[in-house]
Amino acid sequence: MFKWINCEVLPGMFDAEYYVLVKDAEGNHFGGMFVYDGLVRLDKPLQDKKHPVPGKLRVRAFSHEGDMVSVALPESTMDHGRYMRIPVAQLND
């Protein structure tokens, strides 16, 4: 099932991509990745290349256990790979 999670967004290297930063269940930096712009919703327009704006990232949710869910990110992060666990409350439609 595809859902959206909160993220921070910067311009990517190419016109059709963004650099997206995601946080884990504790609010700590989980990692960043370059993704196709069709997988990102911006909450407000990008201002420049140094200041991220809030947005949403499309993920695949699976393995729901209690109040936690595992999600597959669209790409691997540079720090921790492609899979992470987050609270169900962080998922958006």
Side-chain angles (χ1 to χ4, degrees):
M1 141 179 51
F2 289 100
K3 295 287 188 176
W4 297 86
I5 61 170
N6 294 330
C7 64
E8 293 181 319
V9 184
L10 290 162
M13 293 174 48
F14 303 102
D15 290 339
E17 74 177 5
Y18 291 115
Y19 185 71
V20 177
L21 303 162
V22 293
K23 294 183 179 179
D24 64 16
E26 289 80 37
N28 298 316
H29 181 262
F30 183 78
M33 72 204 92
F34 290 99
V35 298
Y36 166 67
D37 63 2
L39 300 174
V40 177
R41 294 179 182 164
L42 298 176
D43 291 349
K44 63 181 189 176
L46 291 169
Q47 300 297 318
D48 57 44
K49 294 183 178 192
K50 294 183 181 182
H51 299 94
V53 298
K56 306 276 187 290
L57 175 65
R58 187 173 183 229
V59 299
R60 186 173 54 88
F62 63 96
S63 185
H64 183 183
E65 297 174 20
D67 64 343
M68 299 294 284
V69 64
S70 295
V71 297
L73 302 169
E75 298 291 336
S76 290
T77 65
M78 296 179 188
D79 302 328
H80 300 297
R82 186 173 186 176
Y83 301 97
M84 62 187 290
R85 290 178 53 79
I86 60 171
V88 173
Q90 288 184 6
L91 295 177
N92 300 287
D93 288 324

